[in-house]
Amino acid sequence: MAEDSFMPRTDKLENIGFGVLSWEQVQRLDGILAETIPIHGRGNFPTLEMKPRQIVKVVRSRMEEKRINVREVRLNGSAASHVLHEDSGLGYKDLDLIFCADLKGEREFEIVKNLVLDCLLDFLPEGVNKEKITSLTLKEAYVQKMVKVCNHSDCWSLISLSNNRGKNVELKFVDSLRRQFEFSVDSFQIKLDSLLLFHECSENPMSETFHPTIIGESVYGDFREALDHLRHKIICTRNPEEIRGGGLLKYCHLLVRGFRAASEAEMKSLQRYMCSRFFIDFSDIGEQRRKLESYLQNHFVGLEERKYDYLVTLHGVVNESTVCLMGHERRQILSLINMLAVHVLAEQNAIPNVANVTCYYQPAPYVSDGNFSNYYIAQVQPVFACHQHTYPYWLLCN
């Protein structure tokens, strides 16, 4: 069977969203779950070495001890896409593990948070005195972020464990979640229970003729179609108006990786949706800057050379497709993107040393630092002023 082939479950119409993984895909999945991932501690805290298979087993066992029913565990996001198609060009950073569980209220969420933090004690190196380490201490040392959402349609929480190389272990506990994907190429979830049970029960190693049946699902709706989009680098989605503001940043990331919408008309429509929602969810320039800086920091670890191309792409999409902003607000976000691009070039020592460099906007204040004294920054009026005759000119930097 071809490396990225699969056996679609098409015996019933309702199973169109599912597929059975091939042997090659099962091998990739098993390799990801068996890989040792370091969870780096802040300050003097030691690094924790954990395999995804181990953390799933420990967390699930503790949840069941607390009488929280875990229906199933899934691999989600870019890691699941990588399992299904290794050469997509996306790679994977975070390891997203979904615990589908019965979480009906604040009490259950608090129990889950505490037991996850308590589980980290099991992964501390030998010789570490664990008696005086509290849950709060573990949270400060090893957790990058915690999120909890509980409303009429969504009830879930997220605990992200820190990795300095961007491969965070993200534990997501989901009772209900209305929208679980942005685009078809990131809509895959792989059910892990049969593989985990196999390793617990089987005395023989897996082989092409002896391995568990593992089911993948596309929450986009059509497994075969979504996998075809992944193979051919096509950007497609359903109900784009439901995608949160961060969808714009993911969309531009796909563009930089060589993905394209199926048609020009579809691309323009999708970009307008993405831009409008971004500015609804991040309505002022401070929020926009924090979101952009966070995205650059979290999604380009080891890929710093791609940051500039990403910002150029984002600038083009915002410039072309933003229809919901007043003139000065539009200039603010375009100026922000340009300033971040200048910063990226400076970090990479890529500011060209030529006589004629066109500055479209005033660079960020930090480029006046002594480290950047090898080139000249023209003094122009700030682009944030909105009264007449203060728009910046195109000036030459020597």
Side-chain angles (χ1 to χ4, degrees), residues 272-283:
R272 286 194 293 270
Y273 272 119
M274 298 292 100
C275 289
S276 296
R277 189 57 191 255
F278 180 82
F279 294 114
I280 290 172
D281 288 356
F282 309 102
S283 56

Side-chain angles (χ1 to χ4, degrees), residues 191-260:
K191 300 182 180 185
L192 303 180
D193 298 82
S194 60
L195 181 59
L196 297 172
L197 183 61
F198 178 90
H199 283 295
E200 288 184 13
C201 300
S202 177
E203 297 180 355
N204 299 311
M206 288 195 304
S207 67
E208 186 170 3
T209 57
F210 182 67
H211 65 268
T213 299
I214 300 175
I215 304 298
E217 179 182 2
S218 169
V219 291
Y220 164 79
D222 188 320
F223 190 95
R224 182 186 292 274
E225 181 180 333
L227 188 58
D228 190 60
H229 292 164
L230 185 64
R231 288 169 173 161
H232 297 95
K233 296 189 173 183
I234 297 173
I235 302 174
C236 188
T237 192
R238 298 186 189 277
N239 304 321
E241 68 279 359
E242 296 178 359
I243 299 176
R244 303 291 298 178
L248 171 65
L249 307 185
K250 178 63 177 290
Y251 171 79
C252 291
H253 202 165
L254 290 175
L255 292 178
V256 169
R257 295 298 185 94
F259 286 70
R260 291 292 181 270

Side-chain angles (χ1 to χ4, degrees), residues 276-292 325 328-330 332-334 336 384:
S276 296
R277 189 57 191 255
F278 180 82
F279 294 114
I280 290 172
D281 288 356
F282 309 102
S283 56
D284 68 69
I285 194 67
E287 291 178 344
Q288 293 159 15
R289 178 166 190 156
R290 286 189 291 273
K291 183 64 177 179
L292 287 178
L325 297 181
H328 72 281
E329 293 174 325
R330 188 169 178 273
Q332 281 183 339
I333 183 61
L334 293 175
L336 170 61
F384 304 116

Side-chain angles (χ1 to χ4, degrees), residues 339 342-344 346 351 362-375 377:
M339 288 190 286
V342 170
H343 191 194
V344 166
I351 297 292
Q362 181 183 10
Y366 40 67
V367 298
S368 62
D369 185 90
N371 294 329
F372 302 91
S373 60
N374 60 329
Y375 63 94
I377 300 301

Side-chain angles (χ1 to χ4, degrees), residues 27-231:
Q27 288 178 296
R28 278 202 294 274
L29 175 62
D30 192 53
I32 287 175
L33 296 183
E35 178 186 7
T36 298
I37 300 176
I39 303 300
H40 297 105
R42 297 181 180 89
N44 295 325
F45 279 84
T47 297
L48 310 181
E49 303 285 345
M50 64 173 61
K51 297 178 180 179
R53 183 184 298 156
Q54 293 173 326
I55 190 66
V56 168
K57 181 178 180 180
V58 173
V59 170
R60 185 173 197 163
S61 175
R62 299 284 178 88
M63 292 178 70
E64 291 173 348
E65 287 176 5
K66 297 294 185 180
R67 301 185 182 278
I68 296 177
N69 179 44
V70 180
R71 299 187 294 273
E72 60 183 1
V73 181
R74 298 184 172 204
L75 180 69
N76 185 47
S78 57
S81 298
H82 176 78
V83 167
L84 295 171
H85 183 55
E86 188 176 23
D87 300 322
S88 67
L90 290 175
Y92 73 96
K93 288 293 182 182
D94 293 342
L95 195 71
D96 301 323
L97 297 166
I98 298 179
F99 293 78
C100 302
D102 297 332
L103 304 167
K104 299 303 182 183
E106 183 67 32
R107 175 180 173 274
E108 285 79 7
F109 281 114
E110 190 67 20
I111 289 174
V112 166
K113 182 189 74 172
N114 290 332
L115 68 85
V116 169
L117 294 174
D118 188 53
C119 287
L120 298 182
L121 291 172
D122 295 350
F123 295 93
L124 285 169
E126 292 185 9
V128 175
N129 185 356
K130 304 177 183 180
E131 294 182 0
K132 296 183 179 180
I133 300 179
T134 65
S135 295
L136 180 60
T137 302
L138 291 168
K139 175 185 174 183
E140 294 299 321
Y142 295 108
V143 175
Q144 185 180 77
K145 64 180 176 181
M146 283 188 175
V147 179
K148 182 178 67 175
V149 175
C150 195
N151 54 43
H152 65 282
S153 60
D154 297 335
C155 193
W156 58 273
S157 67
L158 170 71
I159 300 176
S160 178
L161 305 178
S162 301
N163 176 276
N164 293 345
R165 295 190 291 273
K167 188 177 284 189
N168 295 338
V169 176
E170 304 219 323
L171 308 177
K172 198 169 190 176
F173 303 90
V174 177
D175 181 89
S176 60
L177 182 56
R178 181 180 58 175
R179 178 90 183 196
Q180 301 185 62
F181 73 103
E182 292 172 322
F183 305 100
S184 61
V185 295
D186 63 16
S187 69
F188 298 105
Q189 297 181 1
I190 299 174
K191 300 182 180 185
L192 303 180
D193 298 82
S194 60
L195 181 59
L196 297 172
L197 183 61
F198 178 90
H199 283 295
E200 288 184 13
C201 300
S202 177
E203 297 180 355
N204 299 311
M206 288 195 304
S207 67
E208 186 170 3
T209 57
F210 182 67
H211 65 268
T213 299
I214 300 175
I215 304 298
E217 179 182 2
S218 169
V219 291
Y220 164 79
D222 188 320
F223 190 95
R224 182 186 292 274
E225 181 180 333
L227 188 58
D228 190 60
H229 292 164
L230 185 64
R231 288 169 173 161

